[in-house]
Amino acid sequence: MDSGERNAKSAEQQYEGVKWLAANLEHVEARFADLQSHEVVIFDLRVVRGDDAWEKDARAVVDAATKHSRKPLHKLVRHFDKQLGFPQSYGAPTLKRIFADPGCKHYAALLVCVGDHPRKGHATTSLADFGQSIATTTMEKIMRFRANALAARDNQEAGVEATPDPNFDHLTAHRRRGNKCGHCGKSCGNLCCAACGQVRYCDRVCQKRHWKEHKGPCARRLEAVARMDEMSQRLGCLETGHDTVKRLSDGAVEKMGTREQQEEFLVKYQEFDEKFARSGLLADFVFDFKDVKMSGAGMGDDEATVEAKGKAWERKIRIHLDHSDYVDFKRRYFGGSRTKGRVNLKMIMFDEADIPDMVTQGIMNKTASKMHLDLFAKLDPRTHFLCTLTDRNLGPMMDAMMFVPWASRVALRGDAWREPRIRDP
């Protein structure tokens, strides 16, 4: 076996190792749910040649896994050498490369020893075919891996074609720079298309000459507004169809979901609202983080300020959930993982103070920041938090926002929960 074949085999074994962790996340989560970012968990999935790692007892593998700190590195390298048989000449550079990777740098790492070895006493002329390596992932990546797989399967079972567009930041860049005429490109006044309001013109002459080109996009935009208005009314959303569509490029409007996809999203939203939001599960989960800074360093308030605002019920919180992550959480939660340990929920969480820095760092554009600030202005942090549910597997515009009441925790906590005392201004 030449080096190319060995590398291909090693990559395949590492991929299978990550898939194994994803398939057995319930066991992993039950034991290692509260991992810290500086910690590392090592799993041993190596097998005797001819055996299949998937036949290993999952609970036994997870129980045998060990947790370590990634610092100091030399101790971890020595553990791989003395306990797992990976020489320091391989372990030291491999672990340095793993921990320097941005996807692993700020998260707890899950390291999986994969590969095969000859049976004891097995006669062989060469050990070159027996390779072992280390696969790397994180709990966040595993949850995303599972969520995408579940979403694809659910959409297929529902007979809905998925049109995922994970890179949708460009969809909001729809306006021409400055007051440029849609026909001639010259600077112009405030005359714009009366139907969609998205294109400006010098005068009626330019507008008439541009109509043949603009007619199609204008009609699609108006249709999109009508469909989004219908969807907003049925969902009780916080935005109208016009508010949503006016921020979109023509390309984004063309990528909006079909009616079948919208109907599928409505079904998913209603189930999420009933089973997760109104039941108190969502509020109960977010409650544990209301005093915790979840945004990056140098963004928004410092940890002490976040904690003080949270305890005083003054922190305006917004969380973002993709439906695929919710589905994976639900299956693990109701599948029994909650009886063994904490069940993780993959979400994005930030507060009002984070928005200016998110704009500065390019995480959020100015249009989106204005929308969030408008919503936060309507939010009373003593009674509600803001939640956005999306389904990017169905399309880039499948989302809905809702105010979730903290008091919904009563359904779960009963007398153990008391609403914050609201003082008169």
Side-chain angles (χ1 to χ4, degrees), residues 58 80 100 170 175 191 203 230 259 268 284 328 348 401 405:
F80 270 93
H170 66 283
R175 291 190 179 274
L191 177 66
D203 49 36
E230 178 187 354
R259 287 196 177 276
K268 292 179 176 180
D284 192 56
D328 186 38
I348 297 171
M401 293 186 184

Side-chain angles (χ1 to χ4, degrees), residues 2-297:
D2 59 27
S3 59
E5 291 175 329
R6 280 197 298 272
N7 289 338
K9 180 181 178 181
S10 177
E12 181 181 355
Q13 290 171 336
Q14 291 179 21
Y15 180 66
E16 288 298 314
V18 173
K19 282 176 61 178
W20 188 96
L21 280 186
N24 294 283
L25 181 60
E26 289 85 353
H27 299 303
V28 177
E29 193 172 41
R31 187 168 176 222
F32 300 109
D34 299 319
L35 287 173
Q36 303 300 310
S37 60
H38 66 278
E39 293 179 322
V40 175
V41 180
I42 303 172
F43 303 86
D44 194 348
L45 272 183
R46 293 174 295 178
V47 295
V48 173
R49 188 165 211 190
D51 291 349
D52 188 350
W54 288 93
E55 296 178 357
K56 280 179 167 284
D57 182 272
R59 191 179 299 277
V61 171
V62 174
D63 287 345
T66 55
K67 183 168 67 174
H68 308 263
S69 173
R70 64 175 66 185
K71 293 181 180 181
L73 182 64
H74 68 86
K75 288 188 177 181
L76 194 58
V77 171
R78 188 178 303 120
H79 175 81
F80 270 93
D81 182 17
K82 301 299 183 183
Q83 303 300 323
L84 298 169
F86 288 89
Q88 295 190 26
S89 59
Y90 171 84
T94 299
L95 293 175
K96 285 182 181 179
R97 173 179 52 78
I98 288 172
F99 297 147
D101 186 281
C104 182
K105 194 171 184 179
H106 303 295
Y107 299 96
L110 306 180
L111 306 182
V112 190
C113 302
V114 296
D116 54 14
H117 53 80
R119 297 181 185 278
K120 291 183 178 180
H122 178 72
T124 180
T125 56
S126 174
L127 295 180
D129 289 346
F130 297 95
Q132 301 177 25
S133 61
I134 303 172
T136 313
T137 188
T138 64
M139 195 75 81
E140 287 74 13
K141 289 181 180 179
I142 288 292
M143 288 192 290
R144 170 52 54 189
F145 184 94
R146 282 174 56 100
N148 286 339
L150 289 170
R153 188 180 74 180
D154 288 349
N155 289 335
Q156 185 177 23
E157 290 176 352
V160 177
E161 181 181 357
T163 56
D165 189 348
N167 300 313
F168 54 90
D169 292 342
H170 66 283
L171 301 182
T172 58
H174 69 277
R175 291 190 179 274
R176 298 175 183 271
R177 292 185 177 180
N179 295 334
K180 302 294 184 180
C181 176
H183 175 64
C184 67
K186 297 179 181 179
S187 296
C188 61
N190 294 323
L191 177 66
C192 62
C193 175
C196 69
Q198 298 301 301
V199 184
R200 298 180 183 275
Y201 297 103
C202 297
D203 49 36
R204 296 293 181 187
V205 175
C206 281
Q207 185 176 13
K208 288 180 179 180
R209 290 175 178 174
H210 189 243
W211 177 242
K212 185 175 180 180
E213 178 184 344
H214 180 58
K215 181 178 180 180
C218 184
R220 286 191 291 272
R221 190 172 290 275
L222 292 178
E223 180 187 0
V225 169
R227 286 167 56 188
M228 290 301 294
D229 273 335
E230 178 187 354
M231 193 171 175
S232 296
Q233 290 173 5
R234 292 174 64 181
L235 292 176
C237 290
L238 304 177
E239 284 194 308
T240 65
H242 176 72
D243 291 336
T244 300
V245 177
K246 72 179 182 182
R247 297 193 299 268
L248 303 181
S249 66
D250 289 341
V253 172
E254 292 179 358
K255 291 183 178 182
M256 290 184 67
T258 64
R259 287 196 177 276
E260 290 76 15
Q261 290 170 327
Q262 288 183 334
E263 289 297 327
E264 178 65 15
F265 181 71
L266 283 168
V267 171
K268 292 179 176 180
Y269 173 89
Q270 289 164 355
E271 190 270 345
F272 173 86
D273 185 33
E274 178 183 350
K275 297 289 181 65
F276 202 42
R278 295 186 190 180
S279 70
L281 279 172
L282 179 57
D284 192 56
F285 191 95
V286 178
F287 180 81
D288 291 344
F289 298 93
K290 74 178 183 66
D291 308 340
V292 180
K293 181 176 174 62
M294 300 290 283
S295 55

